[in-house]
Amino acid sequence: MYIDLFLKTHRTPVLDADEVAALDASVARCTTFSARQIFIRQHTPLTQCTLLLEGFVERFKDTPEGRRQILAIHVPGDFVDLHSYPLKRLEHSVAALTDIRVALFPHPAIHALTEKSATITELLWKSTMIDAAINREWIVSVGARGAAIRLAHLFCEMFVRLERAGMASGDSFALPLTQVDLADATGLTAVHANRMLRQLREDGLVTFRQGVATILDWPKLRAFAEFDPTYLFLD
C-alpha cells in the first residue's frame, strides 16, 4: 500500500480496514523527481497533495539576496504539502533533496475522504498539527539556541523521526544533506556550521560524514541539545 509508512509514523487515531483502503485508493498516481528539483513553487495554484514515499524533501524560502532558509525536512511517510488542500497554494517552495518518489492525492479525493470519515479527517489534521509543532521548534532553535545546540537538536530530531520510520541502523542514519543544507536549516553560515560539526565530533557527541550521521553518545547528545521529543507527539 502507498500509505503503509504514513500509518506507521502516524499511529493514532487508528483507522479501520475500510478507512485504510479508502485512503490508499485515493492516490491518483505516483511519480518521481530528481535530486534538487523544485517540484512545488511558491504561489503556484495546487490541485493535489503530495505524500513522500522515498527520499528526502526540503521546504524552503529564498531571500532576494540569495540566502535560503530551509523551513522543514521531510522523510518518507510525510505529507509535504497537506496544507495545500485548504490553501490551494503555498507561500514557500518544495524541492527534492535526493531522488524521490511520491504519491499524489487530488484535492477532491481529500475532500471526499474528510466527508466520509471523521477519523481520517482527524488523522490528516493531526499530521498537519505535528508539522506545525516541528516548525515552531525550529523557530526556537534559530531564535534562541546556540549554533552547536541547533545542529545537535536537528540531529536528535532526525534520528528519532528516522528511527520511527525504520530508517536508522543502530546509532547511524542516512541524512543526505550537505553542510550548506545544514547551515540553511539552522540559520548559520556554511563556515560556522562546519566549525560546529567539528565541535560536536570532538566532544564525542555525533559525527556527520558523506551524508551519514552517527550518534556517539545519545544521552550526552540529547542533554547537550536540550532535546525533548514531546513536540513530535510520538504515540
Side-chain angles (χ1 to χ4, degrees):
M1 292 192 302
Y2 300 113
I3 61 168
D4 280 350
L5 196 51
F6 172 70
L7 296 178
K8 180 178 180 180
T9 54
H10 299 78
R11 298 174 183 171
T12 60
V14 177
L15 305 184
D16 64 28
D18 289 341
E19 290 166 331
V20 170
L23 184 57
D24 199 63
S26 295
V27 175
R29 64 186 178 94
C30 291
T31 190
T32 60
F33 296 99
S34 300
R36 302 295 162 175
Q37 182 176 354
I38 299 174
F39 61 95
I40 298 173
R41 294 187 179 274
Q42 61 181 359
H43 309 313
T44 300
L46 298 172
T47 60
Q48 58 195 8
C49 295
T50 308
L51 176 65
L52 182 60
L53 302 177
E54 299 172 10
F56 288 73
V57 160
E58 65 173 340
R59 298 212 312 256
F60 70 92
K61 291 194 71 131
D62 290 333
T63 69
E65 295 76 24
R67 284 295 306 272
R68 174 164 295 188
Q69 182 65 50
I70 295 178
L71 307 169
I73 295 172
H74 286 291
V75 304
D78 288 352
F79 272 99
V80 305
D81 61 345
L82 192 55
H83 47 304
S84 76
Y85 164 59
L87 297 176
K88 307 307 178 190
R89 58 177 53 84
L90 302 182
E91 86 295 341
H92 57 275
S93 299
V94 184
L97 286 165
T98 63
D99 292 345
I100 64 169
R101 179 170 171 262
V102 299
L104 302 176
F105 291 73
H107 286 171
I110 297 289
H111 180 77
L113 287 169
T114 59
E115 282 198 324
K116 180 178 181 180
S117 168
T119 308
I120 291 178
T121 301
E122 182 181 348
L123 181 62
L124 296 178
W125 189 14
K126 183 179 179 181
S127 172
T128 63
M129 295 301 97
I130 293 173
D131 189 56
I134 293 172
N135 183 253
R136 287 190 289 272
E137 195 69 25
W138 280 39
I139 292 172
V140 174
S141 283
V142 172
R145 292 183 174 123
I149 296 177
R150 294 181 207 179
L151 284 169
H153 198 279
L154 180 60
F155 283 124
C156 287
E157 177 188 303
M158 297 309 299
F159 177 57
V160 170
R161 291 170 63 192
L162 289 169
E163 185 178 49
R164 181 177 174 80
M167 297 177 63
S169 178
D171 293 326
S172 296
F173 55 96
L175 189 62
L177 309 180
T178 67
Q179 290 190 14
V180 172
D181 294 329
L182 287 176
D184 290 344
T186 52
L188 304 173
T189 65
V191 172
H192 199 183
N194 182 60
R195 292 195 192 103
M196 296 302 98
L197 287 171
R198 184 171 64 248
Q199 176 184 322
L200 294 175
R201 181 180 67 250
E202 292 174 349
D203 289 346
L205 300 177
V206 62
T207 63
F208 181 68
R209 296 189 180 95
Q210 298 181 327
V212 176
T214 299
I215 307 298
L216 302 177
D217 188 327
W218 173 245
K220 188 176 177 182
L221 177 66
R222 181 172 173 174
F224 176 78
E226 303 168 355
F227 179 70
D228 178 356
T230 54
Y231 71 96
L232 297 172
F233 291 89
L234 304 173
D235 298 310

